[in-house]
Amino acid sequence: MDIAPRYAGTASGMMNFGFGVAGIISPIFFGQMIDITGTWAVPFAASVALLLLGAILTFTLRPDLPFVEDDSAVPAHGWDGASQAA
């Protein structure tokens, strides 16, 4: 929200989607790994690894640098192809 306030809704939606997918996949993954290995150690180790990865990646976030769109992606005449009045 701090990095790109213009895209706060999109960012929130993407996070909620990711949380939902994780909520669907993790019980399936845990069950399969427990059935295969017979121990809870493997799924918990995978969870710890993902949590550590997330903790490490938080150090790469830079809320002090705002997200700036690339102006070269927008044509000078606008998106609809109509020329702008001078």
Side-chain angles (χ1 to χ4, degrees):
M1 311 303 163
D2 293 334
I3 296 172
R6 187 170 164 195
Y7 302 105
T10 302
S12 295
M14 290 173 65
M15 287 188 298
N16 285 330
F17 175 77
F19 298 149
V21 169
I24 293 169
I25 292 174
S26 33
I28 297 168
F29 174 76
F30 264 60
Q32 290 294 323
M33 289 297 102
I34 294 167
D35 286 345
I36 291 170
T37 63
T39 180
W40 286 78
V42 174
F44 279 122
S47 294
V48 169
L50 284 174
L51 288 170
L52 288 174
L53 177 66
I56 292 167
L57 289 176
T58 58
F59 291 110
T60 65
L61 295 175
R62 296 291 309 266
D64 57 324
L65 297 175
F67 177 75
V68 180
E69 291 183 24
D70 185 12
D71 291 335
S72 65
V74 180
H77 53 72
W79 288 108
D80 59 359
S83 60
Q84 296 176 350

